[in-house]
Amino acid sequence: MVPNCNPVGSNLKSGEYTLGRFDPVNGQNWNRAYHYNKDLISEFADKINPDMDISELKKEYRSRLRASIEERLNNEWGVGLAECLNLKLQLMALEADIVLDLHNGPVSTRHIYVPEYARESAKYFNIPHVILINKVFSGALDEATFCPWWCLTDSLMERFPGSEWDFGIEAFTVEMGSQEVIDFDAGKADSKGILSYLSYKKCFETPLQKPENITRYGVYLRDYKIMYSRFGGMVEYVAKPGQFIKKGELMAQVLNIDLLDDEQAISFVKAPCDLIPILHFPSASVLGGTQLYKCFTNYFEI
Amino acid sequence: MVPNCNPVGSNLKSGEYTLGRFDPVNGQNWNRAYHYNKDLISEFADKINPDMDISELKKEYRSRLRASIEERLNNEWGVGLAECLNLKLQLMALEADIVLDLHNGPVSTRHIYVPEYARESAKYFNIPHVILINKVFSGALDEATFCPWWCLTDSLMERFPGSEWDFGIEAFTVEMGSQEVIDFDAGKADSKGILSYLSYKKCFETPLQKPENITRYGVYLRDYKIMYSRFGGMVEYVAKPGQFIKKGELMAQVLNIDLLDDEQAISFVKAPCDLIPILHFPSASVLGGTQLYKCFTNYFEI
Amino acid sequence: MVPNCNPVGSNLKSGEYTLGRFDPVNGQNWNRAYHYNKDLISEFADKINPDMDISELKKEYRSRLRASIEERLNNEWGVGLAECLNLKLQLMALEADIVLDLHNGPVSTRHIYVPEYARESAKYFNIPHVILINKVFSGALDEATFCPWWCLTDSLMERFPGSEWDFGIEAFTVEMGSQEVIDFDAGKADSKGILSYLSYKKCFETPLQKPENITRYGVYLRDYKIMYSRFGGMVEYVAKPGQFIKKGELMAQVLNIDLLDDEQAISFVKAPCDLIPILHFPSASVLGGTQLYKCFTNYFEI
Amino acid sequence: MVPNCNPVGSNLKSGEYTLGRFDPVNGQNWNRAYHYNKDLISEFADKINPDMDISELKKEYRSRLRASIEERLNNEWGVGLAECLNLKLQLMALEADIVLDLHNGPVSTRHIYVPEYARESAKYFNIPHVILINKVFSGALDEATFCPWWCLTDSLMERFPGSEWDFGIEAFTVEMGSQEVIDFDAGKADSKGILSYLSYKKCFETPLQKPENITRYGVYLRDYKIMYSRFGGMVEYVAKPGQFIKKGELMAQVLNIDLLDDEQAISFVKAPCDLIPILHFPSASVLGGTQLYKCFTNYFEI
């Protein structure tokens, strides 16, 4: 099932380009209003004993999670547009053991957000750049999917030391490149990686695809850094997404069009440490304080 | 000193109206990127003994706060535009004992955000609607101003039971009505209330103004509720800002222009409880999930 | 029949307000892409002799006009979005003898655009401000409706001096006030004026409404003037829509927020001649060169 | 001298991309409000006799043109923002014999607008795609520059048959590719072509550059066609700018994301005749009626 999580955003235009992930009315990110009820976890864990059947537990927990989302949806004071769309999508996602949130964004390499406990699964997508995230909820669908199960597992392992609990839930945000470029062939290549992962998870009777033999680089979320522009102007992005850049190398040059006759017209942006730029701002025109790049630092092979 | 906290936002247009409080590039609220370093509070409290001179303490604490802001401003990876503007403004505000953040927004009554400990001060503004807030930081200037002092005070009172600490810091967000209506006479009336408060705080040798004898209604932040539209369409806002509305009374009627020939064309929005609408969405055209009203519920005289 | 001429525009938001009459993608006014084929008029007039039956003529001419619109709609290279919507609406309007294009816009009085030949009809709407327009086509629906008939009439009168031709076609653009204010009672009052006009045109067996006894002011389009702001800043609109303003009187004051400490902070906008402001810009924030007011000059009672 | 003709547009953002050539407030194209006073031409031609000194004539005519622009700038009712910026730029351009208006736009090849009388000059730029335009004024700077001189020349040749008048004025709009891609090396290559043209026009004591030996394709403006999308959806632009496309070949495929499970999900856009696509819409997300491509048809070598 492939629902479209922001039916509003994909049709909105303001200028020729796609507004994408922000509600133009109030700045709300369309993908950050999912539901997470922390209290529900310990309430539920309190009632569990270690001999219970895990599939029964899973069923029961799911129905609690569903009730919590539905209660929010039926809020007497109404629900915001982004939240309403998110909750309806979350109700669908709740039924699934595997949730893939397929995103497009600015100019970028393919990259994927992976919960640390599912690190092994990252090797089955054909995606070279992997961001490992912890059980912190900040509103996204992947977090909304795995946090309740991850936290429940931790809570149960604390209560019953030595016990093991595997609910078999995995969720990923898969970043598929620029929202302003459609390429049907690239789409086919992307789908092979997804089929490879699903084959690994035994979703098909016989595996459909094997993972490609590529090097995958991982980074912890805290080391996935935003580089802000210090200058406004017109930018040439010299460092391309996916390149290995050494500390001090040129990443971008910014032309200040008010100083065209001047030696000072061009500013140079250099790498503050060894890094891999993963994405850059999609426009050549930036203000001071624009997110120029997002970069892997302290990365490692996985 | 009257700095303009969003020099970018006040010039931006997208359509004829003012974009106002959101960065059109990334949805960032221009007023929610102030700095708050929670760790700094207990670090500082650790080094205090109850005999220290409070004005020395205040000076020392301010310089720590300043250093923390400056460190963030000088971040090797740069700083986002909203954050950069906010931090520069915060450095100015840090020197002041009294900080008033003057806002304009949608169609609204005059209302004011007041930290609970400064509740008495609310009686000296000529503002009938008062929202009492706790020491929770969510990015705004008033919170960024009073939270470090309020939390320090609490921390010290915990360490030294029975001690008293008054750093004399107060900060308020003052909502001055619609961003799309300028009225010089209303501006003069507003300034009288501010002078009244400043007179009460002994900012002038002789008081310049006394507060007006009006009824002031207070509400705790948790009871200041957003009402979302359940329908898209064209809205008549029947309940006006400041009116007392009883549970079940008509607040708005929404016309669905796709159903003009139909009995069902008009939907009625009723009050879910006794309330005072404080502001409504500035436009007559809404989507389902639009913030229609913000309302006082469980309000009381103060 | 009440079709909605810009289904796209009424749903688009960019910020909280309504984008309204411009396509945000390419600046196209949603109401200025109607079709007018000048050549068709003389081609048709060539084949007429003065003894022909006028209702037959009308039928035949209509089918030519329809064919011309349909040909454009079926253009091998496609048709722009605004034009496509306009043409489909124009095909509906073509069947009618009376076309009322109901508009909303900025902050304004009720006013109406009336072709000069239908001046008498202006007395049957309850609208105090009347703009008389000539047979110049600039893309709007009312012009697209009456220009082909008006020009045909003129062409026939030239060919057959002394002959008279009345095809009974009238079209008006009726400006119903602000797009950001919905008021169901005002809607009822507006509909009375429309019923009064339709009663005068014998659309009902017995007249439903009589026109109100109000003074109506007319102006020729060339005397309906735009006043541009010379300064950017925050504006108080002192002259209200519909007021009689004398030459030299204050119309607006503009506050330059970068000069708040300065005597020069306020600029005054004065009337260059006797005038009636009909509408003003809907926002308090203007740039230099913003359309501040549109005004009747050299107006007269009709 | 390199003035920036839309200082407002280059800083405006609405979403991450550049708004570019439209005023977001009122849809005005920043480059279409130049001044052209048709009456001035015949008034001036009336006073000329064929023996007058051409450089004197040129000086006198220029001062009339300047007076006409200045009169408009000093309009008692003010001037719109785009028009004001345009007029100030036009006053600068008026002093020059050669005016190059350097544009950036959507995804495109380099192309150039050339007045038909200056067709020879097109061979000295290194630009493969040339649009030949006639003396029709539609608001642009190049037209505003050459129309008064071209029309004066024609008017004089009509009055004095057999006479020859060469005022030596040329103006071009040079389209330099995407506004969202800055490439310093491409900038250097572009400047060589400009230096080649200026060398040909003897702007330097010794020629600085020679034109490259490339094939140049010309088209008359009437054959430079817009292709509109018939479907909304996500587009893959298969035909790339500059490619030779045969009638019936695939130009684009449009994916309807509401029909993903359906055979009908993909629509194919085919070339209606032999053509060269020059530019395409910069975004992958289009509505029905979006300008998908602009194409050379009936093109020829020049």
Side-chain angles (χ1 to χ4, degrees), chain A residues 13-14 16-18 180 182 184 235-236 266 283-285, chain D residues 13-14 16-18 180 182 184 235-236 266 281 283-285:
Chain A
K13 289 284 193 182
S14 182
E16 296 166 319
Y17 298 89
T18 308
E180 294 300 17
I182 293 289
F184 283 47
V235 182
E236 177 173 359
I266 303 177
S283 167
S285 162
Chain D
K13 289 285 195 183
S14 180
E16 296 166 320
Y17 299 89
T18 308
E180 294 300 18
I182 293 290
F184 283 46
V235 183
E236 176 173 0
I266 302 177
F281 193 64
S283 168
S285 161

PDB file of all heavy atoms in Angstrom, chain A residues 13-14 16-18 180 182 184 235-236 266 283-285, chain D residues 13-14 16-18 180 182 184 235-236 266 281 283-285:
ATOM      1  N   LYS A  13       1.865  25.146  -4.970  1.00  0.00           N
ATOM      2  CA  LYS A  13       2.933  25.833  -5.669  1.00  0.00           C
ATOM      3  C   LYS A  13       2.998  27.244  -5.120  1.00  0.00           C
ATOM      4  O   LYS A  13       1.982  27.859  -4.814  1.00  0.00           O
ATOM      5  CB  LYS A  13       2.611  25.918  -7.165  1.00  0.00           C
ATOM      6  CG  LYS A  13       2.691  24.596  -7.878  1.00  0.00           C
ATOM      7  CD  LYS A  13       4.121  24.235  -8.093  1.00  0.00           C
ATOM      8  CE  LYS A  13       4.299  23.099  -9.056  1.00  0.00           C
ATOM      9  NZ  LYS A  13       5.705  22.762  -9.203  1.00  0.00           N
ATOM     10  N   SER A  14       4.187  27.757  -5.033  1.00  0.00           N
ATOM     11  CA  SER A  14       4.358  29.156  -4.682  1.00  0.00           C
ATOM     12  C   SER A  14       5.587  29.549  -5.455  1.00  0.00           C
ATOM     13  O   SER A  14       6.693  29.266  -5.041  1.00  0.00           O
ATOM     14  CB  SER A  14       4.553  29.295  -3.177  1.00  0.00           C
ATOM     15  OG  SER A  14       4.677  30.636  -2.816  1.00  0.00           O
ATOM     16  N   GLU A  16       7.359  28.617  -9.155  1.00  0.00           N
ATOM     17  CA  GLU A  16       7.314  27.471 -10.038  1.00  0.00           C
ATOM     18  C   GLU A  16       7.649  26.166  -9.336  1.00  0.00           C
ATOM     19  O   GLU A  16       7.290  25.099  -9.788  1.00  0.00           O
ATOM     20  CB  GLU A  16       8.263  27.708 -11.218  1.00  0.00           C
ATOM     21  CG  GLU A  16       7.808  28.901 -12.068  1.00  0.00           C
ATOM     22  CD  GLU A  16       8.860  29.385 -13.039  1.00  0.00           C
ATOM     23  OE1 GLU A  16      10.047  29.445 -12.663  1.00  0.00           O
ATOM     24  OE2 GLU A  16       8.487  29.709 -14.168  1.00  0.00           O
ATOM     25  N   TYR A  17       8.339  26.252  -8.192  1.00  0.00           N
ATOM     26  CA  TYR A  17       8.832  25.038  -7.556  1.00  0.00           C
ATOM     27  C   TYR A  17       7.809  24.468  -6.575  1.00  0.00           C
ATOM     28  O   TYR A  17       6.765  25.051  -6.333  1.00  0.00           O
ATOM     29  CB  TYR A  17      10.159  25.334  -6.873  1.00  0.00           C
ATOM     30  CG  TYR A  17      11.206  25.767  -7.858  1.00  0.00           C
ATOM     31  CD1 TYR A  17      11.367  27.104  -8.186  1.00  0.00           C
ATOM     32  CD2 TYR A  17      12.000  24.833  -8.503  1.00  0.00           C
ATOM     33  CE1 TYR A  17      12.305  27.508  -9.121  1.00  0.00           C
ATOM     34  CE2 TYR A  17      12.945  25.221  -9.434  1.00  0.00           C
ATOM     35  CZ  TYR A  17      13.093  26.559  -9.740  1.00  0.00           C
ATOM     36  OH  TYR A  17      14.021  26.947 -10.666  1.00  0.00           O
ATOM     37  N   THR A  18       8.152  23.345  -6.003  1.00  0.00           N
ATOM     38  CA  THR A  18       7.276  22.621  -5.099  1.00  0.00           C
ATOM     39  C   THR A  18       7.541  23.065  -3.667  1.00  0.00           C
ATOM     40  O   THR A  18       8.682  23.079  -3.228  1.00  0.00           O
ATOM     41  CB  THR A  18       7.566  21.112  -5.235  1.00  0.00           C
ATOM     42  OG1 THR A  18       7.503  20.771  -6.613  1.00  0.00           O
ATOM     43  CG2 THR A  18       6.575  20.292  -4.460  1.00  0.00           C
ATOM     44  N   GLU A 180      12.531  17.670  -7.225  1.00  0.00           N
ATOM     45  CA  GLU A 180      12.338  18.365  -8.487  1.00  0.00           C
ATOM     46  C   GLU A 180      12.884  17.590  -9.678  1.00  0.00           C
ATOM     47  O   GLU A 180      12.987  18.120 -10.775  1.00  0.00           O
ATOM     48  CB  GLU A 180      12.943  19.772  -8.428  1.00  0.00           C
ATOM     49  CG  GLU A 180      12.254  20.716  -7.450  1.00  0.00           C
ATOM     50  CD  GLU A 180      10.779  20.975  -7.738  1.00  0.00           C
ATOM     51  OE1 GLU A 180      10.140  20.213  -8.487  1.00  0.00           O
ATOM     52  OE2 GLU A 180      10.247  21.946  -7.178  1.00  0.00           O
ATOM     53  N   ILE A 182      12.287  13.860 -11.579  1.00  0.00           N
ATOM     54  CA  ILE A 182      11.673  12.542 -11.717  1.00  0.00           C
ATOM     55  C   ILE A 182      12.462  11.788 -12.777  1.00  0.00           C
ATOM     56  O   ILE A 182      12.764  12.335 -13.834  1.00  0.00           O
ATOM     57  CB  ILE A 182      10.203  12.667 -12.164  1.00  0.00           C
ATOM     58  CG1 ILE A 182       9.367  13.303 -11.072  1.00  0.00           C
ATOM     59  CG2 ILE A 182       9.626  11.298 -12.552  1.00  0.00           C
ATOM     60  CD1 ILE A 182       9.134  12.447  -9.866  1.00  0.00           C
ATOM     61  N   PHE A 184      12.340   7.831 -14.216  1.00  0.00           N
ATOM     62  CA  PHE A 184      11.690   6.521 -14.085  1.00  0.00           C
ATOM     63  C   PHE A 184      12.712   5.395 -13.914  1.00  0.00           C
ATOM     64  O   PHE A 184      12.479   4.437 -13.168  1.00  0.00           O
ATOM     65  CB  PHE A 184      10.806   6.242 -15.313  1.00  0.00           C
ATOM     66  CG  PHE A 184       9.482   6.983 -15.292  1.00  0.00           C
ATOM     67  CD1 PHE A 184       9.407   8.346 -14.991  1.00  0.00           C
ATOM     68  CD2 PHE A 184       8.286   6.325 -15.586  1.00  0.00           C
ATOM     69  CE1 PHE A 184       8.181   9.028 -14.980  1.00  0.00           C
ATOM     70  CE2 PHE A 184       7.072   6.990 -15.572  1.00  0.00           C
ATOM     71  CZ  PHE A 184       7.015   8.347 -15.277  1.00  0.00           C
ATOM     72  N   VAL A 235      25.295  31.020  -4.911  1.00  0.00           N
ATOM     73  CA  VAL A 235      26.234  29.962  -4.510  1.00  0.00           C
ATOM     74  C   VAL A 235      26.538  28.986  -5.629  1.00  0.00           C
ATOM     75  O   VAL A 235      25.622  28.500  -6.300  1.00  0.00           O
ATOM     76  CB  VAL A 235      25.632  29.128  -3.363  1.00  0.00           C
ATOM     77  CG1 VAL A 235      26.624  28.065  -2.908  1.00  0.00           C
ATOM     78  CG2 VAL A 235      25.227  29.997  -2.215  1.00  0.00           C
ATOM     79  N   GLU A 236      27.820  28.676  -5.802  1.00  0.00           N
ATOM     80  CA  GLU A 236      28.191  27.486  -6.560  1.00  0.00           C
ATOM     81  C   GLU A 236      28.544  26.385  -5.564  1.00  0.00           C
ATOM     82  O   GLU A 236      29.453  26.538  -4.736  1.00  0.00           O
ATOM     83  CB  GLU A 236      29.385  27.758  -7.488  1.00  0.00           C
ATOM     84  CG  GLU A 236      29.814  26.473  -8.215  1.00  0.00           C
ATOM     85  CD  GLU A 236      30.897  26.679  -9.286  1.00  0.00           C
ATOM     86  OE1 GLU A 236      31.320  27.837  -9.498  1.00  0.00           O
ATOM     87  OE2 GLU A 236      31.308  25.680  -9.896  1.00  0.00           O
ATOM     88  N   ILE A 266      33.622  37.406  -3.845  1.00  0.00           N
ATOM     89  CA  ILE A 266      33.483  35.961  -3.663  1.00  0.00           C
ATOM     90  C   ILE A 266      33.961  35.527  -2.281  1.00  0.00           C
ATOM     91  O   ILE A 266      35.068  35.866  -1.865  1.00  0.00           O
ATOM     92  CB  ILE A 266      34.282  35.182  -4.734  1.00  0.00           C
ATOM     93  CG1 ILE A 266      33.820  35.605  -6.131  1.00  0.00           C
ATOM     94  CG2 ILE A 266      34.106  33.676  -4.549  1.00  0.00           C
ATOM     95  CD1 ILE A 266      34.594  34.945  -7.245  1.00  0.00           C
ATOM     96  N   SER A 283      18.589  25.641  -3.981  1.00  0.00           N
ATOM     97  CA  SER A 283      18.606  26.879  -4.760  1.00  0.00           C
ATOM     98  C   SER A 283      19.983  27.509  -4.751  1.00  0.00           C
ATOM     99  O   SER A 283      20.758  27.351  -3.802  1.00  0.00           O
ATOM    100  CB  SER A 283      17.590  27.858  -4.171  1.00  0.00           C
ATOM    101  OG  SER A 283      17.771  29.153  -4.692  1.00  0.00           O
ATOM    102  N   ALA A 284      20.300  28.243  -5.817  1.00  0.00           N
ATOM    103  CA  ALA A 284      21.575  28.956  -5.914  1.00  0.00           C
ATOM    104  C   ALA A 284      21.551  30.276  -5.171  1.00  0.00           C
ATOM    105  O   ALA A 284      22.571  30.915  -5.005  1.00  0.00           O
ATOM    106  CB  ALA A 284      21.929  29.197  -7.376  1.00  0.00           C
ATOM    107  N   SER A 285      20.379  30.699  -4.728  1.00  0.00           N
ATOM    108  CA  SER A 285      20.270  31.989  -4.049  1.00  0.00           C
ATOM    109  C   SER A 285      20.033  31.751  -2.560  1.00  0.00           C
ATOM    110  O   SER A 285      19.049  31.133  -2.171  1.00  0.00           O
ATOM    111  CB  SER A 285      19.109  32.768  -4.670  1.00  0.00           C
ATOM    112  OG  SER A 285      18.688  33.807  -3.827  1.00  0.00           O
TER     113      SER A 285
ATOM    114  N   LYS D  13      12.219  34.883  -1.264  1.00  0.00           N
ATOM    115  CA  LYS D  13      12.102  33.442  -1.212  1.00  0.00           C
ATOM    116  C   LYS D  13      10.669  33.128  -0.814  1.00  0.00           C
ATOM    117  O   LYS D  13      10.064  33.812   0.000  1.00  0.00           O
ATOM    118  CB  LYS D  13      13.024  32.883  -0.134  1.00  0.00           C
ATOM    119  CG  LYS D  13      14.499  32.977  -0.486  1.00  0.00           C
ATOM    120  CD  LYS D  13      14.838  31.927  -1.501  1.00  0.00           C
ATOM    121  CE  LYS D  13      16.316  31.719  -1.631  1.00  0.00           C
ATOM    122  NZ  LYS D  13      16.579  30.736  -2.672  1.00  0.00           N
ATOM    123  N   SER D  14      10.158  32.073  -1.380  1.00  0.00           N
ATOM    124  CA  SER D  14       8.865  31.575  -0.943  1.00  0.00           C
ATOM    125  C   SER D  14       9.002  30.081  -1.107  1.00  0.00           C
ATOM    126  O   SER D  14       8.890  29.560  -2.208  1.00  0.00           O
ATOM    127  CB  SER D  14       7.769  32.156  -1.828  1.00  0.00           C
ATOM    128  OG  SER D  14       6.512  31.691  -1.422  1.00  0.00           O
ATOM    129  N   GLU D  16      12.024  27.171  -0.708  1.00  0.00           N
ATOM    130  CA  GLU D  16      13.472  27.206  -0.795  1.00  0.00           C
ATOM    131  C   GLU D  16      13.983  27.830  -2.084  1.00  0.00           C
ATOM    132  O   GLU D  16      15.108  28.298  -2.160  1.00  0.00           O
ATOM    133  CB  GLU D  16      14.021  25.778  -0.640  1.00  0.00           C
ATOM    134  CG  GLU D  16      13.698  25.210   0.743  1.00  0.00           C
ATOM    135  CD  GLU D  16      13.913  23.721   0.860  1.00  0.00           C
ATOM    136  OE1 GLU D  16      13.577  22.985  -0.084  1.00  0.00           O
ATOM    137  OE2 GLU D  16      14.419  23.292   1.895  1.00  0.00           O
ATOM    138  N   TYR D  17      13.147  27.858  -3.103  1.00  0.00           N
ATOM    139  CA  TYR D  17      13.617  28.299  -4.408  1.00  0.00           C
ATOM    140  C   TYR D  17      13.461  29.798  -4.578  1.00  0.00           C
ATOM    141  O   TYR D  17      12.924  30.501  -3.712  1.00  0.00           O
ATOM    142  CB  TYR D  17      12.881  27.529  -5.488  1.00  0.00           C
ATOM    143  CG  TYR D  17      13.129  26.048  -5.407  1.00  0.00           C
ATOM    144  CD1 TYR D  17      12.326  25.233  -4.623  1.00  0.00           C
ATOM    145  CD2 TYR D  17      14.207  25.473  -6.064  1.00  0.00           C
ATOM    146  CE1 TYR D  17      12.570  23.880  -4.517  1.00  0.00           C
ATOM    147  CE2 TYR D  17      14.453  24.113  -5.963  1.00  0.00           C
ATOM    148  CZ  TYR D  17      13.634  23.324  -5.191  1.00  0.00           C
ATOM    149  OH  TYR D  17      13.889  21.983  -5.088  1.00  0.00           O
ATOM    150  N   THR D  18      13.929  30.284  -5.704  1.00  0.00           N
ATOM    151  CA  THR D  18      13.920  31.707  -6.005  1.00  0.00           C
ATOM    152  C   THR D  18      12.631  32.072  -6.732  1.00  0.00           C
ATOM    153  O   THR D  18      12.273  31.422  -7.704  1.00  0.00           O
ATOM    154  CB  THR D  18      15.135  32.008  -6.912  1.00  0.00           C
ATOM    155  OG1 THR D  18      16.296  31.483  -6.288  1.00  0.00           O
ATOM    156  CG2 THR D  18      15.298  33.487  -7.130  1.00  0.00           C
ATOM    157  N   GLU D 180      18.799  28.579 -10.822  1.00  0.00           N
ATOM    158  CA  GLU D 180      19.098  27.790  -9.629  1.00  0.00           C
ATOM    159  C   GLU D 180      20.434  27.069  -9.735  1.00  0.00           C
ATOM    160  O   GLU D 180      20.746  26.212  -8.907  1.00  0.00           O
ATOM    161  CB  GLU D 180      17.964  26.803  -9.339  1.00  0.00           C
ATOM    162  CG  GLU D 180      16.647  27.465  -8.946  1.00  0.00           C
ATOM    163  CD  GLU D 180      16.713  28.330  -7.682  1.00  0.00           C
ATOM    164  OE1 GLU D 180      17.812  28.716  -7.258  1.00  0.00           O
ATOM    165  OE2 GLU D 180      15.644  28.632  -7.138  1.00  0.00           O
ATOM    166  N   ILE D 182      24.533  27.998 -10.248  1.00  0.00           N
ATOM    167  CA  ILE D 182      25.654  28.909 -10.456  1.00  0.00           C
ATOM    168  C   ILE D 182      26.869  28.055 -10.785  1.00  0.00           C
ATOM    169  O   ILE D 182      27.123  27.060 -10.105  1.00  0.00           O
ATOM    170  CB  ILE D 182      25.925  29.746  -9.197  1.00  0.00           C
ATOM    171  CG1 ILE D 182      24.773  30.701  -8.922  1.00  0.00           C
ATOM    172  CG2 ILE D 182      27.246  30.512  -9.317  1.00  0.00           C
ATOM    173  CD1 ILE D 182      24.656  31.832  -9.896  1.00  0.00           C
ATOM    174  N   PHE D 184      30.807  28.953 -11.963  1.00  0.00           N
ATOM    175  CA  PHE D 184      31.752  30.029 -12.289  1.00  0.00           C
ATOM    176  C   PHE D 184      32.421  29.796 -13.642  1.00  0.00           C
ATOM    177  O   PHE D 184      32.663  30.744 -14.393  1.00  0.00           O
ATOM    178  CB  PHE D 184      32.797  30.185 -11.181  1.00  0.00           C
ATOM    179  CG  PHE D 184      32.310  30.897  -9.950  1.00  0.00           C
ATOM    180  CD1 PHE D 184      31.080  30.588  -9.363  1.00  0.00           C
ATOM    181  CD2 PHE D 184      33.069  31.908  -9.361  1.00  0.00           C
ATOM    182  CE1 PHE D 184      30.626  31.261  -8.218  1.00  0.00           C
ATOM    183  CE2 PHE D 184      32.626  32.573  -8.223  1.00  0.00           C
ATOM    184  CZ  PHE D 184      31.417  32.252  -7.653  1.00  0.00           C
ATOM    185  N   VAL D 235       6.484  14.845 -13.437  1.00  0.00           N
ATOM    186  CA  VAL D 235       6.973  14.768 -14.814  1.00  0.00           C
ATOM    187  C   VAL D 235       8.415  14.334 -14.909  1.00  0.00           C
ATOM    188  O   VAL D 235       9.267  14.870 -14.195  1.00  0.00           O
ATOM    189  CB  VAL D 235       6.889  16.152 -15.497  1.00  0.00           C
ATOM    190  CG1 VAL D 235       7.335  16.048 -16.944  1.00  0.00           C
ATOM    191  CG2 VAL D 235       5.508  16.712 -15.404  1.00  0.00           C
ATOM    192  N   GLU D 236       8.703  13.400 -15.804  1.00  0.00           N
ATOM    193  CA  GLU D 236      10.085  13.193 -16.246  1.00  0.00           C
ATOM    194  C   GLU D 236      10.245  13.875 -17.596  1.00  0.00           C
ATOM    195  O   GLU D 236       9.527  13.566 -18.560  1.00  0.00           O
ATOM    196  CB  GLU D 236      10.412  11.696 -16.374  1.00  0.00           C
ATOM    197  CG  GLU D 236      11.832  11.496 -16.928  1.00  0.00           C
ATOM    198  CD  GLU D 236      12.308  10.042 -16.918  1.00  0.00           C
ATOM    199  OE1 GLU D 236      11.556   9.161 -16.484  1.00  0.00           O
ATOM    200  OE2 GLU D 236      13.464   9.815 -17.359  1.00  0.00           O
ATOM    201  N   ILE D 266       0.520   6.566 -16.116  1.00  0.00           N
ATOM    202  CA  ILE D 266       1.506   7.345 -16.875  1.00  0.00           C
ATOM    203  C   ILE D 266       0.900   7.868 -18.170  1.00  0.00           C
ATOM    204  O   ILE D 266       0.306   7.112 -18.945  1.00  0.00           O
ATOM    205  CB  ILE D 266       2.742   6.484 -17.208  1.00  0.00           C
ATOM    206  CG1 ILE D 266       3.363   5.948 -15.916  1.00  0.00           C
ATOM    207  CG2 ILE D 266       3.781   7.312 -17.972  1.00  0.00           C
ATOM    208  CD1 ILE D 266       4.544   5.040 -16.153  1.00  0.00           C
ATOM    209  N   PHE D 281       9.888  23.585 -17.805  1.00  0.00           N
ATOM    210  CA  PHE D 281       9.479  24.007 -16.471  1.00  0.00           C
ATOM    211  C   PHE D 281      10.498  23.487 -15.466  1.00  0.00           C
ATOM    212  O   PHE D 281      10.970  22.351 -15.587  1.00  0.00           O
ATOM    213  CB  PHE D 281       8.085  23.430 -16.194  1.00  0.00           C
ATOM    214  CG  PHE D 281       7.383  24.012 -15.012  1.00  0.00           C
ATOM    215  CD1 PHE D 281       7.018  25.350 -15.000  1.00  0.00           C
ATOM    216  CD2 PHE D 281       7.061  23.235 -13.898  1.00  0.00           C
ATOM    217  CE1 PHE D 281       6.353  25.896 -13.898  1.00  0.00           C
ATOM    218  CE2 PHE D 281       6.399  23.774 -12.804  1.00  0.00           C
ATOM    219  CZ  PHE D 281       6.044  25.106 -12.811  1.00  0.00           C
ATOM    220  N   SER D 283      10.313  22.538 -12.395  1.00  0.00           N
ATOM    221  CA  SER D 283       9.874  21.630 -11.331  1.00  0.00           C
ATOM    222  C   SER D 283       9.327  20.342 -11.908  1.00  0.00           C
ATOM    223  O   SER D 283       8.790  20.309 -13.011  1.00  0.00           O
ATOM    224  CB  SER D 283       8.808  22.317 -10.488  1.00  0.00           C
ATOM    225  OG  SER D 283       8.159  21.396  -9.635  1.00  0.00           O
ATOM    226  N   ALA D 284       9.435  19.255 -11.137  1.00  0.00           N
ATOM    227  CA  ALA D 284       8.902  17.965 -11.548  1.00  0.00           C
ATOM    228  C   ALA D 284       7.415  17.845 -11.249  1.00  0.00           C
ATOM    229  O   ALA D 284       6.769  16.899 -11.672  1.00  0.00           O
ATOM    230  CB  ALA D 284       9.650  16.850 -10.834  1.00  0.00           C
ATOM    231  N   SER D 285       6.865  18.796 -10.517  1.00  0.00           N
ATOM    232  CA  SER D 285       5.454  18.718 -10.146  1.00  0.00           C
ATOM    233  C   SER D 285       4.685  19.773 -10.933  1.00  0.00           C
ATOM    234  O   SER D 285       4.957  20.966 -10.820  1.00  0.00           O
ATOM    235  CB  SER D 285       5.322  18.955  -8.631  1.00  0.00           C
ATOM    236  OG  SER D 285       4.014  19.317  -8.294  1.00  0.00           O
TER     237      SER D 285
END
